[in-house]
Amino acid sequence: MIKAATIGGFFCSHAVWSLADGEPVIPILAYLDREGARMMQRIVADDYGDSVRQGQEQLSAPELDAETACLVYDGHVTLDDVARDALIIELRGEPERQSSGVITLPYQPATTGVFSIHRPQWVSWDGPVTCAIEQAIEAFFQGAESHEKGWAVWQQNVFRDGDS
């Protein structure tokens, strides 16, 4: 799950970069191919929900020749009984994408006038456990930090308790 969390963090940071400019997040299917090269495909359909469903199908499809993969898309989560916009990061990790996990990154959209990023939430983890969750969380942040432009935006807009 380390590689999946790392690539998930990188493309989550990429999506944060888009959100800060008020751009929509087109669902991103990202993966490491068998040679370890980072690959990315945007999933576009007439309906956003269809794009997400197509991405979810491709994420788990045996035809995807990848060791590890993730799908990043825009959605919603409920925190403290409040519905929030959030990036959803679905992970498929080693071995052979048998492990799965979901991370959410709540945010306040730029269209509100104050773009902010909240703390990521690890929502689920299923399948063979190949590392401690703390290692996967660290890998997620290492991946996020490795996208220089996205990470700079993330750090400039992180929500801190007490901020208005």
Side-chain angles (χ1 to χ4, degrees), residues 89-160:
I89 304 94
E90 294 189 25
L91 307 172
R92 296 295 180 275
E94 54 279 3
E96 299 298 316
R97 293 183 286 134
Q98 294 175 19
S99 297
S100 65
V102 176
I103 300 169
T104 62
L105 183 67
Y107 69 90
Q108 182 170 319
T111 55
T112 65
V114 181
F115 177 67
S116 63
I117 300 296
H118 295 262
R119 189 175 324 175
Q121 309 288 316
W122 197 287
V123 178
S124 70
W125 180 327
D126 299 307
V129 177
T130 58
C131 67
I133 193 162
E134 293 82 11
Q135 292 172 303
I137 292 168
E138 182 178 330
F140 177 80
F141 280 108
Q142 286 175 347
E145 290 175 24
S146 71
H147 191 291
E148 293 180 21
K149 292 180 180 178
W151 185 247
V153 168
W154 190 322
Q155 291 303 294
Q156 291 168 358
N157 295 285
V158 68
F159 176 83
R160 292 175 179 79

Side-chain angles (χ1 to χ4, degrees), residues 11-49:
F11 283 99
C12 178
S13 203
H14 180 82
V16 165
W17 184 32
S18 295
L19 287 172
D21 290 336
E23 298 291 323
V25 173
I26 297 168
I28 300 168
L29 176 66
Y31 58 95
L32 294 178
D33 69 13
R34 300 290 175 188
E35 287 75 45
R38 189 169 44 209
M39 310 298 281
M40 177 185 113
Q41 175 186 353
R42 295 189 187 275
I43 311 296
V44 180
D46 290 336
D47 176 75
Y48 195 83

